Amino acid sequence: GYNFVLLSGGRVGLLADAITWGATCAYPWSYGTWYWMKLSIAGATLTGTIWADGQRESGRLVVRSAASCAQPAHLRRGG
């Protein structure tokens, strides 16, 4: 499956089956702060948004990647 994860250096990214990295983007997250994260898929596009707990969901796109860029080999045609 797909994952939307916090990365070191104030970044977030997309990961497929804990094997293949997709897009990563800067996001100024902080240790000790709780966040809500939403990962959506529409067609071949993954979209991730993140916001701090206690704040309203901004709907601001943080990271987007074509699903085929992060698709695990076993899900590809012929794989």
Side-chain angles (χ1 to χ4, degrees):
Y2 295 105
N3 301 277
F4 180 36
V5 298
L6 297 173
L7 301 169
S8 62
R11 298 188 67 75
V12 294
L14 300 172
L15 178 63
D17 285 344
I19 298 170
T20 305
W21 286 102
T24 63
C25 297
Y27 182 83
W29 63 270
S30 302
Y31 287 100
T33 301
W34 288 88
Y35 294 91
W36 290 93
M37 300 173 80
K38 181 164 71 173
L39 177 62
S40 305
I41 187 166
T45 303
L46 295 169
T47 302
T49 56
I50 181 173
W51 63 97
D53 189 38
Q55 295 181 355
R56 295 170 63 182
E57 180 180 354
S58 68
R60 187 182 123 228
L61 172 68
V62 175
V63 63
R64 176 180 285 165
S65 176
S68 60
C69 293
Q71 192 173 33
H74 70 279
L75 295 178
R76 293 187 196 127
R77 180 180 286 179

